[in-house]
């Protein structure tokens, strides 16, 4: 009897051991699958965030409306309202409006050159403000509202100058175009409440 019990005990031990190993193996496979999935997700997210973009900066009056307009251009990846061209670091909206910082209300545009062109952005820029008034757009007056293209490369400069000359020669505007074309200086993001303001409130900058 003892021999029989011992034999049965040995069989059960083998069975339980096999089941235990199978469970561990399954758990290991499950973990590996989960880790693989995580890696693929990270790679996918990384791929999305590494889309090669070019940068452009425009000043055309109040940046609320300019940001909205530029964000609607197909191929634009991101837009940010901010301040460019001044003489102090990290300016606030109050400092810019005081006309002491020298900054312009601008919009930084990141765009995919495979889906749109800098020329398309220039079209949107000049079509949506009055480039014959340097420091005024409608009721908004002051140097922070000046019409300016801040180029980020020699190619952008050449294209902006050419476009401006052609536009002037076409006499689309009754007065000469006074838009400045200058090398880009450091861009500072405006306060959070300014970002996508037109979308948030549905209001046009007055």
């Amino acid at each position: 009897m003892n021999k029989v019990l011992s034999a049965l005990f040995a069989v059960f031990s083998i069975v339980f051991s096999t089941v235990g190993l199978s469970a561990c193996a399954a758990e290991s496979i499950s973990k590996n699958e989960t880790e693989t999935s995580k890696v693929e997700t990270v790679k996918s997210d990384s791929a999305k965030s590494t889309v090669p973009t070019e940068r452009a900066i425009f000043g055309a009056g109040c940046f609320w409306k300019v940001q909205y307009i530029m964000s609607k251009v197909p191929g634009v990846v991101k837009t940010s309202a901010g301040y460019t061209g001044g003489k102090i670091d990290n300016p606030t909206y109050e400092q810019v409006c005081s006309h002491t910082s020298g900054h312009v209300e601008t919009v930084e545009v990141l765009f995919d050159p495979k889906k749109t062109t800098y020329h398309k952005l220039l079209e949107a820029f000049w079509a949506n403000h009055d480039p014959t008034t340097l420091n005024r757009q409608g009721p908004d007056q002051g140097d922070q509202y000046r019409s300016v293209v801040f180029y980020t490369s020699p190619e952008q400069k050449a294209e902006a100058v050419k476009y401006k000359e052609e536009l002037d020669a076409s006499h689309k505007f009754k007065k000469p175009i006074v838009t400045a074309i200058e090398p880009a200086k450091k861009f500072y993001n405006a306060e959070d409440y300014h970002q996508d303001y037109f979308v948030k409130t549905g209001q046009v900058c007055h």
Side-chain angles (χ1 to χ4, degrees), residues 128-173:
N128 286 282
H129 79 293
D130 183 356
T132 68
T133 54
L134 183 61
N135 294 328
R136 177 174 182 170
Q137 291 301 312
D140 294 324
Q141 297 184 55
D143 55 0
Q144 78 268 36
Y145 298 118
R146 67 192 184 97
S147 175
V148 55
V149 174
F150 286 106
Y151 58 85
T152 63
S153 69
E155 292 77 16
Q156 284 190 3
K157 177 184 179 181
E159 194 160 359
V161 169
K162 181 181 179 182
Y163 196 108
K164 178 181 175 181
E165 291 174 348
E166 292 176 347
L167 199 57
D168 239 345
S170 72
H171 301 292
K172 180 177 180 179
F173 300 97

Side-chain angles (χ1 to χ4, degrees), residues 64-65 197-206:
W64 295 342
K65 188 175 180 180
Y197 187 85
F198 187 82
V199 174
K200 292 174 182 174
T201 66
Q203 299 177 25
V204 178
C205 176
H206 296 294

Side-chain angles (χ1 to χ4, degrees), residues 7-175:
L8 289 173
F9 181 80
V11 171
F12 286 137
S13 296
I14 293 172
V15 171
F16 288 138
S17 175
T18 304
V19 171
L21 286 174
S22 298
C24 288
E27 183 179 357
S28 177
I29 292 171
S30 178
K31 285 183 178 179
N32 287 337
E33 288 177 347
T34 301
E35 292 303 320
T36 301
S37 177
K38 287 181 181 178
V39 171
E40 289 176 350
T41 300
V42 171
K43 286 182 179 179
S44 177
D45 291 341
S46 176
K48 290 179 182 178
S49 64
T50 56
V51 175
T53 58
E54 290 186 21
R55 189 170 74 109
I57 302 175
F58 302 99
C62 178
F63 48 22
W64 295 342
K65 188 175 180 180
V66 179
Q67 182 180 21
Y68 177 79
I69 290 167
M70 288 299 177
S71 70
K72 294 301 180 182
V73 177
V76 168
V77 176
K78 181 182 179 182
T79 59
S80 302
Y83 314 114
T84 313
K87 54 191 178 184
I88 64 174
D89 295 332
N90 302 306
T92 64
Y93 183 64
E94 288 72 21
Q95 288 174 318
V96 173
C97 290
S98 72
H99 311 293
T100 58
S101 74
H103 288 87
V104 184
E105 288 192 16
T106 55
V107 173
E108 180 185 61
V109 181
L110 300 182
F111 64 99
D112 184 348
K114 293 182 179 180
K115 296 182 179 180
T116 193
T117 63
Y118 185 61
H119 191 273
K120 288 289 185 183
L121 298 181
L122 291 174
E123 285 182 353
F125 166 73
W126 265 302
N128 286 282
H129 79 293
D130 183 356
T132 68
T133 54
L134 183 61
N135 294 328
R136 177 174 182 170
Q137 291 301 312
D140 294 324
Q141 297 184 55
D143 55 0
Q144 78 268 36
Y145 298 118
R146 67 192 184 97
S147 175
V148 55
V149 174
F150 286 106
Y151 58 85
T152 63
S153 69
E155 292 77 16
Q156 284 190 3
K157 177 184 179 181
E159 194 160 359
V161 169
K162 181 181 179 182
Y163 196 108
K164 178 181 175 181
E165 291 174 348
E166 292 176 347
L167 199 57
D168 239 345
S170 72
H171 301 292
K172 180 177 180 179
F173 300 97
K174 295 180 180 180
K175 299 178 181 179

